[in-house]
């Protein structure tokens, strides 16, 4: 600061009091006792995604019309966006902060939109340098495909062995095409094959293929799923017309001629039961679902149950089958008992208890059991530990036998496509670590999304990839004054009479306009999307806009630590810390 | 282009034609349609300007103080309680020597809650250092806005352009809207003396000790004195280019007049009609319209009223404990003069009550018929 300035008279003075020079010498940063900093945090959707997809980032790219880049962001973590955009149970939406504002974001619909936009695209996420090691994957369901894709991206030679004549596992054999058209699945499998993944069909482990054949591989990932339908354990299960749900779906999906008609009782409350009933309806049958608990306990996804009811399929709750009755070896009747709900069981659901003397029979032409699936573990060699009907694995997807990894439905009770994809990815990382002799256990925590989310390949493959704090952003931490209210943009569905005629896809994707509108509803919780609020509001002009990866920077020479940038950040992408003085 | 538009629309056109770059305003009856029109102009790209939404008039003024400092021509409009809320910021604008233009639509202050015209709101801001110009019709409103920017940017003082609630703000008249290019020719872009620039950050409006504070105030007063001449030449230049000039004051039929009535705002128009009629009856009464209230154009007023025996001043306002404010100003103008007129101070039309031709005629007769006012304040139209 200069010494005192003396003005001789009013004519020397400026028009109003103003410093005669610049004020850069006055480093107001010395006044600061709290320090703002840019710190991206974990968005709840991202933390909730079992496949670890970086949701707000791909949605941000949709807003900008960069669909291909959005596609690649999803595929960084998940090679099946077209599949997931149709069949995922979207736990991301359940945790979307928008729920506290108006309606949750239609993330699943946006994922499908991006995948559908990419139907003609072949661009790829980057592949690491090629390596000579070979990896065998048994099973081409979502877990196997996910593992194959990620392992291939890491440069390994991958062979997938599939027991059935066509790849896709449960995606092809279990999910009816009105939910997941086969061409979408074919396209995404072809995208995975484009990374050099070889798929061998009609190669059943325990059949033509033996464990010995796999010894030449550096690592083996087992992902054979859970496709043995549980038995009803009632008399009459061997009658003609009593079939298992998954078998029926598999036959339909393999294009076999399926004879099913008349009154068909479908037993169960899970997704298979619902899929079976709707498939029967499309084949001309008259299905009824019998479930021993109530709607609240149904494990089937809510949307699927609603779709079932929309199509006029009756669901009879609190009803348990006791005997399948037949004439001349064919099913004619089903005897049932009424149930009531008792104490909670180990799954947290109330246990169904038969009401004495409540037996009744209904005339039926077929009974389909869809009360759950279990893995077929008969082919496993010695030394692989099984616990409670599933293969036991550790955090690194390792079985008790060295070099053998397992995932998906055969190793876990989280039986969703998204979880299977996540487990496949986990195995891929673990396989890479095992081949490169890295300690997978020590790095797992560091590559999670948030504190306990899925693993992120982006984090694993790149030290600097989208650094974020683990903290999951809560609604209260947003400044929602900057968001407009807006309705959720939903996919349209075919009218019921049109959709039940055959297996055509029920849901139509979002229009481009709808997708753009929907994408722009995303809060981008915890992630700076360069809205410039901090820049606009900083009273000290201390937010500096740089070009480069981190766009904004704080000039701590002058930042007084007022905290306005933090308060005005709509999405909690700034944090505060105490100034160390 | 001639159009039939309200006074508030005339304001908006004046602002648009003046190439204002920043508008910040908070809506208040009867000013609201100005804000609506300007926000539309901004949104539709008819004006290349930012419209800053704010939560109060205080913030509106604070916003345009800042935008004006950066060198952007800036504008706001308000009325009544809104202007009162701005009071503190008015000092900052004037003391900061910022060439802002603001429109105030004259409206009575509450309570009782009243939305109709009265001059108390703007006259309460007399000593803030703002130039004040009162308009008589919608054409004058539009023209005065354009002139106001030129005056402000010459003397570095803010200008308040004042119009009557409803009688002008919401009443449509034929208005000639000048061409943009012509206005550009008249009003060059604003080049600030001390532009606020982040690349050369200076401290504005800092602490000023008793050593120099007085000098800064002296400079403001000198700028006000200079304004009289500047405003006159701006008006003349405007008249030369557009064919319309208004003067700081306008004498109407004052030659040979026995008494002269002093008016401002829309009362002037009504008075013109009354006076024309009285002349037909042989009653010699003149009219002096005062457009400029601050700085008060004393010399121009003296020139017209010197030698007039009696002057009646119609005030649509009151300074409680003293009387009509224009009357006080006229009295003080002549205080040191020999042969000064006798001043009759009328209070009329408060809170938007009609100032009818009959009421004006009554005031004229009181002035004519009495040698001296019976009371310091002469209330016209007061009930019971």
């Amino acid at each position: 600061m200069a010494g005192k300035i003396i003005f001789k008279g009013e004519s020397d003075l400026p028009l109003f009091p103003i410093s005669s020079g610049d004020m850069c010498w006055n480093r107001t940063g010395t006044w600061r006792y709290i320090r703002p900093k840019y710190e991206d945090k974990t968005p709840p959707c991202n933390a909730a995604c079992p496949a670890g997809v970086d949701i707000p980032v791909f949605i941000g790219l949709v807003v900008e019309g960069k669909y291909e880049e959005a596609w690649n962001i999803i595929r960084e973590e998940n090679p099946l966006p077209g599949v997931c955009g149709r069949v995922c149970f979207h736990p991301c939406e359940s945790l979307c902060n928008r729920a506290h504002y108006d309606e949750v974001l239609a993330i699943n619909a946006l994922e499908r939109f991006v995948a559908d936009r990419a139907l003609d695209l072949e661009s790829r996420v980057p592949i690491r340098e090629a390596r000579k090691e070979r990896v065998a994957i048994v099973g081409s369901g979502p877990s196997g495909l996910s593992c194959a894709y990620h392992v291939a991206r890491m440069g390994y030679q991958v062979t997938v062995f599939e027991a059935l004549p066509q790849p896709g596992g449960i995606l092809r054999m279990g999910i009816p095409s009105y939910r997941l058209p086969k061409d979408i699945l074919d396209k995404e499998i072809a995208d995975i094959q484009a990374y050099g993944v070889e798929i061998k069909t009609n190669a059943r482990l325990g059949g033509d293929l033996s464990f010995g054949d796999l010894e030449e591989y550096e690592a083996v990932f087992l992902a054979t799923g859970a496709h043995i339908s549980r038995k009803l354990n009632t008399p009459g299960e061997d009658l003609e017309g009593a079939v298992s749900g998954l078998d029926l779906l598999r036959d339909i999906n393999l294009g076999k001629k399926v004879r099913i008609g008349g009154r068909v009782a479908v037993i169960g409350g899970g997704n298979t039961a619902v899929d079976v009933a709707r498939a029967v309806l499309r084949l001309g049958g008259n299905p009824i679902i019998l479930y021993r608990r109530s709607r609240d306990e149904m494990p089937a996804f809510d949307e699927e149950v609603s779709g079932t009811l929309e199509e006029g399929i009756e669901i009879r709750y609190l009803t348990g089958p006791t005997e399948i009755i037949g004439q001349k070896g064919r099913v004619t009747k089903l005897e049932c008992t009424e149930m009531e709900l008792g104490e909670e069981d180990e799954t947290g659901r109330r246990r169904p208890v038969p009401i004495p003397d409540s037996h009744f029979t209904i005339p039926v032409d077929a009974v389909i059991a869809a009360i759950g699936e279990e893995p077929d573990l008969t082919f496993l060699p010695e030394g692989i530990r099984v616990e409670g009907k599933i293969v036991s694995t550790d955090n690194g997807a390792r079985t008790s036998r060295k070099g053998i990894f397992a995932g998906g439905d055969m190793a876990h009770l989280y039986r969703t496509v998204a979880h299977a994809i996540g487990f496949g990815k986990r195995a891929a990382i673990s396989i890479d670590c095992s081949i490169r002799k890295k300690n997978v256990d020590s790095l797992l925590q560091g590559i999670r999304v948030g504190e306990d989310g899925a693993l992120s390949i982006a984090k694993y493959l790149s030290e600097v990839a989208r650094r974020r704090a683990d903290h999951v952003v809560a609604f209260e931490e947003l400044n929602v004054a900057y968001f407009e209210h807006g309705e959720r943009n939903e996919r349209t569905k075919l009218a019921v009479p049109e959709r039940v005629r055959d297996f055509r896809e029920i849901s139509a994707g979002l229009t481009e306009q709808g997708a753009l509108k929907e994408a722009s509803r995303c809060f981008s919780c915890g992630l700076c999307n360069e809205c410039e609020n901090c820049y606009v509001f900083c009273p000290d002009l201390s937010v500096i806009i740089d070009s480069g990866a981190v766009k904004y920077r704080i000039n701590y020479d002058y930042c007084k630590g007022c905290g306005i940038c933090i308060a005005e950040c709509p999405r909690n992408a700034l944090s505060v810390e105490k100034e160390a003085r | 282009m001639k159009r039939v538009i309200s006074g508030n629309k005339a304001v908006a056109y004046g602002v648009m034609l003046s190439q204002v770059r920043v508008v910040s305003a908070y809506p208040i009856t009867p000013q609201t349609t100005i804000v609506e029109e300007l926000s539309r102009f901004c949104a539709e790209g008819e004006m290349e300007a930012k419209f800053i939404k704010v939560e109060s008039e205080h913030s509106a003024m604070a916003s345009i103080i800042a935008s004006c400092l950066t060198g952007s021509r800036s504008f706001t409009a308000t009325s009544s309680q809104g202007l009162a809320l701005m009071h503190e910021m008015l000092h900052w604008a004037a003391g900061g020597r910022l060439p802002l233009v603001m429109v105030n639509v004259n409206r009575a202050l509450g309570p009782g809650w009243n939305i109709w015209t009265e001059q108390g709101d703007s006259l309460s801001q007399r000593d803030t250092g703002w130039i004040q110009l009162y308009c008589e019709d919608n054409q004058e409103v539009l023209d005065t806005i354009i002139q106001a920017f030129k005056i402000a940017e010459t003397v570095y003082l803010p200008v308040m352009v004042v119009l009557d609630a409803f009688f002008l703000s919401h009443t449509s008249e034929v208005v000639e809207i000048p061409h943009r290019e012509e206005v550009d020719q008249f009003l060059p872009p604003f080049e600030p003396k001390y532009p606020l620039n982040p690349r050369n950050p200076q401290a504005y409006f800092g602490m000023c000790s008793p050593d120099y504070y007085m000098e800064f105030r002296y400079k403001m007063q000198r700028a006000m004195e200079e304004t009289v001449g500047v405003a006159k030449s701006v008006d003349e230049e405007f008249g030369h280019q557009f064919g319309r000039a208004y003067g700081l004051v306008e004498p109407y039929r004052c030659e040979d007049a026995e008494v002269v009535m002093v008016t401002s705002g829309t009362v002037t128009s009504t008075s013109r009609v009354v006076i024309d009629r009285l002349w037909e009856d042989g009653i010699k009464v003149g009219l002096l319209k005062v457009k400029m209230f601050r700085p008060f154009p004393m010399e121009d007023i003296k020139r017209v009223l010197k030698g007039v025996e009696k002057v009646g001043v119609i005030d649509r306002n009151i300074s409680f404990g003293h009387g009509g404010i224009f009357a006080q100003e006229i009295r003080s103008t002549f205080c040191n003069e020999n042969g000064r007129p006798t001043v009759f101070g009328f209070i009329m039309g408060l809170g938007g009550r009609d100032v009818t031709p009959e009421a004006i005629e009554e005031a004229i007769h009181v002035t004519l018929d009495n040698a001296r006012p019976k009371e310091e304040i002469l209330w016209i139209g007061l009930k019971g």
Side-chain angles (χ1 to χ4, degrees), chain A residues 4 18 40 44 47 145 183 248 298 302 308 312 346 363 465 533 577:
Chain A
K4 191 170 179 180
I18 181 172
D40 279 356
L145 288 174
D183 54 338
L248 180 79
M298 274 180 92
D302 211 39
T308 306
E346 65 282 356
N533 258 15
E577 54 190 24

Side-chain angles (χ1 to χ4, degrees), chain A residues 357-370:
Chain A
D357 305 322
S358 64
H359 291 277
F360 62 98
T361 57
I362 48 175
V364 294
D365 301 296
V367 175
I368 304 176

Side-chain angles (χ1 to χ4, degrees), chain A residues 44-368:
Chain A
C45 50
N46 188 198
C49 176
V53 171
D54 200 347
I55 293 162
V57 170
F58 98 71
I59 291 177
L61 289 165
V62 172
V63 174
E64 292 176 45
K66 297 177 178 167
Y67 306 133
E68 185 170 347
E69 289 174 46
W71 185 53
N72 283 331
I73 286 290
I74 300 173
R75 293 193 330 134
E76 184 102 45
E77 305 292 342
N78 172 3
L80 301 167
V83 169
C84 287
R86 289 174 168 81
V87 305
C88 185
F89 73 117
H90 45 73
C92 51
E93 294 187 17
S94 316
L95 290 190
C96 174
N97 276 329
R98 190 110 201 168
H100 309 286
Y101 195 61
D102 41 31
E103 289 178 280
V104 298
L105 204 69
I107 299 169
N108 190 241
L110 285 169
E111 182 176 29
R112 168 167 170 190
F113 171 78
V114 168
D116 287 356
R117 281 267 148 178
L119 282 174
D120 305 321
L121 294 178
E122 279 175 12
S123 88
R124 294 179 176 196
V125 290
I127 191 159
R128 222 168 56 179
E129 84 280 5
R131 292 181 65 104
K132 60 179 192 325
E133 291 91 344
R134 299 167 68 201
V135 176
I137 288 162
V138 185
S140 64
S143 199
L145 288 174
S146 160
C147 184
Y149 165 79
H150 289 297
V151 168
R153 277 179 58 203
M154 292 191 274
Y156 299 102
Q157 314 301 308
V158 183
T159 307
V160 179
F161 298 97
E162 167 57 49
L164 293 173
Q166 293 166 49
I170 194 80
L171 301 177
R172 187 181 302 277
M173 302 305 164
I175 300 178
S177 50
Y178 61 80
R179 281 173 63 198
L180 174 58
K182 302 297 175 236
D183 54 338
I184 298 294
L185 179 62
D186 291 341
K187 196 269 175 180
E188 298 205 323
I189 292 175
D191 284 342
I192 293 169
Q193 286 173 305
Y195 287 83
V197 171
E198 186 192 8
I199 301 179
K200 289 191 171 168
T201 51
N202 293 313
R204 180 183 296 274
L205 188 59
D208 299 340
L209 184 71
S210 74
F211 249 93
D213 299 333
L214 300 177
E215 269 168 20
E216 57 189 276
Y217 293 88
E218 222 71 33
V220 176
F221 176 57
L222 301 175
T224 55
H227 45 81
I228 310 287
S229 286
R230 256 180 228 144
K231 293 265 176 212
L232 290 173
N233 288 324
T234 55
E237 251 183 302
D238 50 350
L239 288 166
E240 195 186 328
V243 291
S244 104
L246 263 194
D247 290 349
L248 180 79
L249 290 174
R250 186 187 307 125
D251 288 348
I252 294 168
N253 285 314
L254 281 171
K256 289 191 188 168
K257 257 221 153 358
V258 175
R259 288 174 184 280
I260 196 120
R263 189 61 161 166
V264 178
V266 180
I267 317 296
N271 285 311
T272 308
V274 166
D275 285 345
V276 165
R278 297 174 79 181
V280 165
L281 181 70
R282 281 159 176 77
L283 292 170
N286 177 19
I288 175 171
I289 295 176
L290 306 178
Y291 179 51
R292 56 189 185 143
R293 297 191 239 222
S294 69
R295 165 116 198 218
D296 289 346
E297 289 81 24
M298 274 180 92
F301 303 150
D302 211 39
E303 277 170 48
E304 299 307 316
V305 179
S306 318
T308 306
L309 294 169
E310 266 167 37
E311 289 168 14
I313 296 172
E314 188 188 342
I315 303 179
R316 199 174 160 142
Y317 302 104
L318 296 166
T319 304
T322 48
E323 189 182 347
I324 304 169
I325 302 163
Q327 265 179 9
K328 297 177 193 159
R330 252 207 85 81
V331 173
T332 55
K333 274 189 270 187
L334 181 65
E335 188 196 69
C336 303
T337 178
E338 285 176 20
M339 303 287 211
E340 59 188 356
L341 292 178
E343 297 296 301
E344 279 187 9
D345 66 8
E346 65 282 356
T347 65
R349 295 178 302 168
R350 292 176 67 191
R351 191 189 301 276
V353 181
I355 300 174
D357 305 322
S358 64
H359 291 277
F360 62 98
T361 57
I362 48 175
V364 294
D365 301 296
V367 175
I368 304 176

Side-chain angles (χ1 to χ4, degrees), chain B residues 269-320:
Chain B
S269 301
T270 322
S271 301
R272 287 180 202 267
V273 178
V274 175
I275 279 160
D276 285 347
R277 208 180 57 227
L278 291 178
W279 273 94
E280 280 169 25
D281 297 344
I283 298 169
K284 296 172 171 178
V285 54
L287 173 67
L288 177 65
K289 163 186 165 179
V290 178
K291 173 174 185 174
M292 177 180 265
F293 175 73
R294 273 295 175 273
F296 200 67
M298 293 203 278
E299 293 312 314
D300 299 76
I301 288 169
K302 278 182 201 165
R303 208 169 303 125
V304 179
L305 297 185
K306 200 150 192 186
V308 176
E309 210 174 299
K310 288 186 284 186
V311 172
V313 183
I314 299 179
D315 268 300
R316 196 169 215 160
N317 62 74
I318 182 164
S319 169
F320 297 109

